[in-house]
Amino acid sequence: MVSTVTDVSKVVALYCRGEITGAVCIERLGQQGMGQLGGVMGVAVAMAAIPADGAFMAAMVGMAGSTLGYAAAVAIYEELSTALHDYELAKEERIRVERECAEAVELIRQYRRDMSRDVENYLATHDELFNRAFDAMDQALISNDIDGYLAGNAEIQESLGYLPRFRTQQEFDDLMASDDNFVL
């Protein structure tokens, strides 16, 4: 009884000091250690209930108490071991999911920073061009200058990476009069 209690108390002390996890504690206690402790406790309880003059009865009850104590301790050990194992797996899964979510959030933040930077750079380099082209188009509308309007439109198309199909009314009329397919 003394050696079993000593072994168990060493493992429990390690757990209480935080040197091992609950799962490791249960594993170290093991089925045999818990069974031995349960058996000893069963004998002690059974022996305490028997009067001192009933030696045979005490022996029989002690064996039964030992067996029941052992079985109870083993059952408790199995349940604790399974519960702690399941808890450790769930904890590891939660940590993995949290890590992946944090990585995804950081990636989204980086994409947002990159996109904001690219939009700001694009607008900074094209702002003057857009303003000039729209001003030219406004003036062309006011003065009824179709070629001025088409030139402003062509300038915006070029800044966006497109090749304008026409820049003047004459080029537009020639395009409409041709037998080529018209593709926008």
Side-chain angles (χ1 to χ4, degrees), residues 130-146 148-153 156:
F130 286 142
N131 286 333
R132 186 178 64 242
F134 283 123
D135 285 345
M137 291 168 67
D138 287 343
Q139 288 301 319
L141 285 174
I142 292 170
S143 63
N144 203 18
D145 177 13
I146 192 68
Y149 184 86
L150 293 174
N153 181 287
I156 291 173

Side-chain angles (χ1 to χ4, degrees), residues 113-131:
R113 286 189 295 266
D114 291 347
M115 188 176 88
S116 292
R117 182 195 66 234
D118 292 345
V119 167
E120 285 179 28
N121 289 341
Y122 181 83
L123 290 177
T125 59
H126 291 83
D127 185 47
E128 184 179 323
L129 181 133
F130 286 142
N131 286 333

